Amino acid sequence: RRRPIRPNVVLYESFAGNGMLCNPEAIFRRLRAEPEFAHLRHVWVLRSKRENRAVVREFRHDRSVRFVRPRSWGYYRALATSGYLINNATFPIEFGKRDGQIYLNTWHGTPLKAMGYDVPRGRLATRNVVRNLVAADYLLAPNDATESMYLSSYRMAGIFGGSVVRSGTPRIDHQFADAGH
């Protein structure tokens, strides 16, 4: 945390490092496709390079993309110094967003079940989610159910200081864009 923030670095984490997946992957691929963002460097959190062989192979010669393991020294360094943070779930309890970082939480689906404080005895399990949501600068909400989850189920109404972005879902929008729609 004593190192300077690197404004041209984007850290992506999807499902605690399970892979290059979901909304973070769609955002990553779109940024890489746009010439105006060619200056960005990308750090992906991957729990296992072996289980993500195809992705590692795809970017093995690309110096603008690197991979870190969750909770490794490289992970904590990237988490503390990346200018942009994109996650579809939550960063670990050790995470503390710094001034100068921009955090986008995309979530990972439409919540059609009880979430957060709406889950019986869910208060303890909700702690780190609430911390992450409060830290985010932007929460992606493609529909009323997702916005309600943030503001009601996680009790963010009145305390969330960022912006709820009412927009599509990057991973779904990406599929339509690829299909030529």
Side-chain angles (χ1 to χ4, degrees):
R1 291 183 59 93
R2 286 186 227 128
R3 294 175 184 250
I5 291 172
R6 298 170 14 193
N8 295 330
V9 177
V10 185
L11 174 80
Y12 306 86
E13 187 169 326
S14 184
F15 300 114
N18 270 349
M20 188 181 284
L21 307 164
C22 196
N23 294 318
E25 178 190 13
I27 293 168
F28 163 75
R29 291 194 183 276
R30 183 59 188 254
L31 288 174
R32 295 197 23 88
E34 297 294 329
E36 69 184 284
F37 298 112
H39 66 285
L40 294 176
R41 299 294 170 248
H42 309 273
V43 179
W44 265 97
V45 179
L46 291 181
R47 192 176 309 148
S48 169
K49 284 185 179 179
R50 185 177 52 78
E51 292 174 13
N52 291 279
R53 245 179 258 151
V55 179
V56 172
R57 190 171 27 253
E58 179 181 357
F59 295 102
R60 73 178 171 265
H61 299 300
D62 189 331
R63 297 175 55 88
S64 72
V65 179
R66 68 184 181 94
F67 304 100
V68 295
R69 281 194 12 243
R71 299 189 171 209
S72 66
W73 185 87
Y75 171 76
Y76 287 118
R77 178 178 170 188
L79 188 58
T81 61
S82 295
Y84 297 92
L85 309 168
I86 300 175
N87 200 325
N88 74 341
T90 60
F91 291 114
I93 59 172
E94 299 88 359
F95 167 64
K97 184 177 152 280
R98 297 173 61 191
D99 287 340
Q101 289 183 307
I102 297 171
Y103 178 11
L104 166 64
N105 190 297
T106 68
W107 209 251
H108 48 269
T110 299
L112 299 176
K113 61 181 183 179
M115 302 287 292
Y117 289 99
D118 297 340
V119 175
R121 293 182 295 283
R123 188 169 295 158
L124 286 177
T126 300
R127 291 181 306 198
N128 193 47
V129 177
V130 169
R131 270 184 6 84
N132 270 260
L133 298 180
V134 167
D137 296 284
Y138 302 97
L139 300 174
L140 186 62
N143 51 52
D144 290 338
T146 305
E147 185 169 1
S148 178
M149 175 199 68
Y150 293 137
L151 300 178
S152 179
S153 299
Y154 285 104
R155 299 182 182 167
M156 294 285 103
I159 64 167
F160 177 60
S163 298
V164 176
V165 178
R166 287 299 297 261
S167 183
T169 303
R171 67 186 168 126
I172 294 170
D173 296 348
H174 178 70
Q175 292 170 349
F176 283 111
D178 286 351
H181 292 77

